[in-house]
PDB file of all heavy atoms in Angstrom:
ATOM      1  N   ARG A  10       7.095-115.208  51.287  1.00 39.00           N
ATOM      2  CA  ARG A  10       5.843-115.887  51.381  1.00 39.00           C
ATOM      3  C   ARG A  10       5.133-116.081  50.126  1.00 39.00           C
ATOM      4  O   ARG A  10       5.519-115.442  49.111  1.00 39.00           O
ATOM      5  CB  ARG A  10       4.895-115.109  52.344  1.00 39.00           C
ATOM      6  CG  ARG A  10       5.430-114.997  53.812  1.00 39.00           C
ATOM      7  CD  ARG A  10       4.564-114.083  54.579  1.00 39.00           C
ATOM      8  NE  ARG A  10       4.278-112.823  53.856  1.00 39.00           N
ATOM      9  CZ  ARG A  10       4.161-111.651  54.520  1.00 39.00           C
ATOM     10  NH1 ARG A  10       4.256-111.611  55.797  1.00 39.00           N
ATOM     11  NH2 ARG A  10       3.919-110.570  53.834  1.00 39.00           N
ATOM     12  N   LYS A  11       4.069-116.871  50.089  1.00 39.00           N
ATOM     13  CA  LYS A  11       3.321-117.134  48.847  1.00 39.00           C
ATOM     14  C   LYS A  11       2.543-115.859  48.451  1.00 39.00           C
ATOM     15  O   LYS A  11       2.021-115.182  49.318  1.00 39.00           O
ATOM     16  CB  LYS A  11       2.350-118.280  49.096  1.00 39.00           C
ATOM     17  CG  LYS A  11       1.598-118.739  47.877  1.00 39.00           C
ATOM     18  CD  LYS A  11       1.053-120.086  48.054  1.00 39.00           C
ATOM     19  CE  LYS A  11      -0.005-120.163  49.084  1.00 39.00           C
ATOM     20  NZ  LYS A  11      -0.638-121.494  49.174  1.00 39.00           N
ATOM     21  N   THR A  12       2.529-115.520  47.166  1.00 36.00           N
ATOM     22  CA  THR A  12       1.839-114.296  46.673  1.00 36.00           C
ATOM     23  C   THR A  12       0.883-114.736  45.560  1.00 36.00           C
ATOM     24  O   THR A  12       1.232-115.568  44.714  1.00 36.00           O
ATOM     25  CB  THR A  12       2.874-113.351  46.104  1.00 36.00           C
ATOM     26  OG1 THR A  12       3.774-113.054  47.186  1.00 36.00           O
ATOM     27  CG2 THR A  12       2.227-112.061  45.649  1.00 36.00           C
ATOM     28  N   GLU A  13      -0.236-114.090  45.449  1.00 36.00           N
ATOM     29  CA  GLU A  13      -1.162-114.284  44.368  1.00 36.00           C
ATOM     30  C   GLU A  13      -0.828-113.447  43.163  1.00 36.00           C
ATOM     31  O   GLU A  13      -0.524-112.296  43.272  1.00 36.00           O
ATOM     32  CB  GLU A  13      -2.571-114.027  44.819  1.00 36.00           C
ATOM     33  CG  GLU A  13      -3.137-115.046  45.790  1.00 36.00           C
ATOM     34  CD  GLU A  13      -4.549-114.816  46.116  1.00 36.00           C
ATOM     35  OE1 GLU A  13      -5.135-113.864  45.504  1.00 36.00           O
ATOM     36  OE2 GLU A  13      -5.158-115.571  46.887  1.00 36.00           O
ATOM     37  N   SER A  14      -0.981-113.994  41.977  1.00 36.00           N
ATOM     38  CA  SER A  14      -0.836-113.201  40.753  1.00 36.00           C
ATOM     39  C   SER A  14      -2.227-113.011  40.139  1.00 36.00           C
ATOM     40  O   SER A  14      -3.225-113.483  40.646  1.00 36.00           O
ATOM     41  CB  SER A  14       0.083-113.932  39.752  1.00 36.00           C
ATOM     42  OG  SER A  14      -0.639-115.012  39.177  1.00 36.00           O
ATOM     43  N   SER A  15      -2.248-112.307  39.009  1.00 38.00           N
ATOM     44  CA  SER A  15      -3.480-111.967  38.355  1.00 38.00           C
ATOM     45  C   SER A  15      -4.111-113.206  37.782  1.00 38.00           C
ATOM     46  O   SER A  15      -5.325-113.289  37.679  1.00 38.00           O
ATOM     47  CB  SER A  15      -3.290-110.963  37.300  1.00 38.00           C
ATOM     48  OG  SER A  15      -2.376-111.404  36.364  1.00 38.00           O
ATOM     49  N   ASP A  16      -3.368-114.198  37.326  1.00 40.00           N
ATOM     50  CA  ASP A  16      -3.890-115.354  36.675  1.00 40.00           C
ATOM     51  C   ASP A  16      -3.899-116.593  37.509  1.00 40.00           C
ATOM     52  O   ASP A  16      -4.776-117.386  37.361  1.00 40.00           O
ATOM     53  CB  ASP A  16      -3.088-115.620  35.368  1.00 40.00           C
ATOM     54  CG  ASP A  16      -3.193-114.405  34.382  1.00 40.00           C
ATOM     55  OD1 ASP A  16      -4.298-113.890  34.209  1.00 40.00           O
ATOM     56  OD2 ASP A  16      -2.120-113.979  33.934  1.00 40.00           O
ATOM     57  N   GLU A  17      -2.863-116.812  38.262  1.00 39.00           N
ATOM     58  CA  GLU A  17      -2.760-118.052  39.064  1.00 39.00           C
ATOM     59  C   GLU A  17      -1.961-117.765  40.290  1.00 39.00           C
ATOM     60  O   GLU A  17      -1.160-116.827  40.446  1.00 39.00           O
ATOM     61  CB  GLU A  17      -2.103-119.146  38.201  1.00 39.00           C
ATOM     62  CG  GLU A  17      -0.753-118.837  37.729  1.00 39.00           C
ATOM     63  CD  GLU A  17      -0.168-119.868  36.863  1.00 39.00           C
ATOM     64  OE1 GLU A  17      -0.657-121.037  36.963  1.00 39.00           O
ATOM     65  OE2 GLU A  17       0.728-119.614  36.123  1.00 39.00           O
ATOM     66  N   GLU A  18      -1.976-118.676  41.234  1.00 40.00           N
ATOM     67  CA  GLU A  18      -1.232-118.531  42.465  1.00 40.00           C
ATOM     68  C   GLU A  18       0.186-119.025  42.249  1.00 40.00           C
ATOM     69  O   GLU A  18       0.430-120.129  41.689  1.00 40.00           O
ATOM     70  CB  GLU A  18      -1.856-119.304  43.563  1.00 40.00           C
ATOM     71  CG  GLU A  18      -1.441-118.933  44.975  1.00 40.00           C
ATOM     72  CD  GLU A  18      -2.343-119.502  46.021  1.00 40.00           C
ATOM     73  OE1 GLU A  18      -2.194-120.733  46.280  1.00 40.00           O
ATOM     74  OE2 GLU A  18      -3.217-118.770  46.509  1.00 40.00           O
ATOM     75  N   THR A  19       1.188-118.190  42.648  1.00 40.00           N
ATOM     76  CA  THR A  19       2.623-118.590  42.475  1.00 40.00           C
ATOM     77  C   THR A  19       3.062-119.126  43.774  1.00 40.00           C
ATOM     78  O   THR A  19       3.183-118.418  44.775  1.00 40.00           O
ATOM     79  CB  THR A  19       3.382-117.372  42.066  1.00 40.00           C
ATOM     80  OG1 THR A  19       2.813-116.767  40.915  1.00 40.00           O
ATOM     81  CG2 THR A  19       4.861-117.696  41.785  1.00 40.00           C
ATOM     82  N   THR A  20       3.429-120.436  43.797  1.00 39.00           N
ATOM     83  CA  THR A  20       3.789-121.050  45.043  1.00 39.00           C
ATOM     84  C   THR A  20       5.327-121.008  45.248  1.00 39.00           C
ATOM     85  O   THR A  20       5.797-121.141  46.385  1.00 39.00           O
ATOM     86  CB  THR A  20       3.370-122.502  45.053  1.00 39.00           C
ATOM     87  OG1 THR A  20       3.890-123.134  43.904  1.00 39.00           O
ATOM     88  CG2 THR A  20       1.889-122.600  45.002  1.00 39.00           C
ATOM     89  N   ASP A  21       6.103-120.775  44.175  1.00 49.00           N
ATOM     90  CA  ASP A  21       7.543-120.782  44.294  1.00 49.00           C
ATOM     91  C   ASP A  21       8.084-119.347  44.214  1.00 49.00           C
ATOM     92  O   ASP A  21       8.607-118.963  43.185  1.00 49.00           O
ATOM     93  CB  ASP A  21       8.159-121.642  43.193  1.00 49.00           C
ATOM     94  CG  ASP A  21       9.579-122.024  43.521  1.00 49.00           C
ATOM     95  OD1 ASP A  21      10.035-121.725  44.571  1.00 49.00           O
ATOM     96  OD2 ASP A  21      10.196-122.591  42.596  1.00 49.00           O
ATOM     97  N   GLN A  22       7.918-118.603  45.204  1.00 53.00           N
ATOM     98  CA  GLN A  22       8.297-117.198  45.256  1.00 53.00           C
ATOM     99  C   GLN A  22       9.780-117.015  45.541  1.00 53.00           C
ATOM    100  O   GLN A  22      10.410-117.855  46.148  1.00 53.00           O
ATOM    101  CB  GLN A  22       7.480-116.400  46.267  1.00 53.00           C
ATOM    102  CG  GLN A  22       6.026-116.218  45.860  1.00 53.00           C
ATOM    103  CD  GLN A  22       5.926-115.405  44.612  1.00 53.00           C
ATOM    104  OE1 GLN A  22       6.492-114.339  44.486  1.00 53.00           O
ATOM    105  NE2 GLN A  22       5.112-115.860  43.667  1.00 53.00           N
ATOM    106  N   PRO A  23      10.361-115.882  45.129  1.00 56.00           N
ATOM    107  CA  PRO A  23      11.757-115.678  45.319  1.00 56.00           C
ATOM    108  C   PRO A  23      12.171-115.600  46.748  1.00 56.00           C
ATOM    109  O   PRO A  23      11.476-115.062  47.581  1.00 56.00           O
ATOM    110  CB  PRO A  23      12.043-114.321  44.562  1.00 56.00           C
ATOM    111  CG  PRO A  23      10.778-113.860  44.081  1.00 56.00           C
ATOM    112  CD  PRO A  23       9.667-114.819  44.464  1.00 56.00           C
ATOM    113  N   LEU A 109       3.219-109.389  37.619  1.00 96.00           N
ATOM    114  CA  LEU A 109       2.544-109.912  38.796  1.00 96.00           C
ATOM    115  C   LEU A 109       2.780-111.434  38.988  1.00 96.00           C
ATOM    116  O   LEU A 109       3.122-111.865  40.079  1.00 96.00           O
ATOM    117  CB  LEU A 109       1.045-109.674  38.674  1.00 96.00           C
ATOM    118  CG  LEU A 109       0.567-108.229  38.903  1.00 96.00           C
ATOM    119  CD1 LEU A 109      -0.905-108.057  38.454  1.00 96.00           C
ATOM    120  CD2 LEU A 109       0.699-107.814  40.386  1.00 96.00           C
ATOM    121  N   SER A 110       2.744-112.172  37.882  1.00 94.00           N
ATOM    122  CA  SER A 110       2.940-113.597  38.030  1.00 94.00           C
ATOM    123  C   SER A 110       4.388-113.969  38.309  1.00 94.00           C
ATOM    124  O   SER A 110       4.697-115.038  38.825  1.00 94.00           O
ATOM    125  CB  SER A 110       2.500-114.337  36.724  1.00 94.00           C
ATOM    126  OG  SER A 110       3.322-113.956  35.659  1.00 94.00           O
ATOM    127  N   ASN A 111       5.322-112.998  38.035  1.00 92.00           N
ATOM    128  CA  ASN A 111       6.722-113.200  38.395  1.00 92.00           C
ATOM    129  C   ASN A 111       7.133-112.702  39.748  1.00 92.00           C
ATOM    130  O   ASN A 111       8.318-112.553  40.043  1.00 92.00           O
ATOM    131  CB  ASN A 111       7.585-112.553  37.294  1.00 92.00           C
ATOM    132  CG  ASN A 111       7.638-113.345  35.999  1.00 92.00           C
ATOM    133  OD1 ASN A 111       7.567-114.533  35.972  1.00 92.00           O
ATOM    134  ND2 ASN A 111       7.691-112.615  34.888  1.00 92.00           N
ATOM    135  N   GLY A 112       6.182-112.388  40.604  1.00 93.00           N
ATOM    136  CA  GLY A 112       6.423-111.991  41.939  1.00 93.00           C
ATOM    137  C   GLY A 112       6.789-110.522  42.128  1.00 93.00           C
ATOM    138  O   GLY A 112       7.423-110.153  43.140  1.00 93.00           O
TER     139      GLY A 112
END
Side-chain angles (χ1 to χ4, degrees):
R10 297 176 308 214
K11 187 162 66 176
T12 301
E13 288 186 1
S14 76
S15 56
D16 300 312
E17 59 182 339
E18 198 167 78
T19 304
T20 57
D21 196 7
Q22 287 296 313
L109 285 167
S110 65
N111 285 326

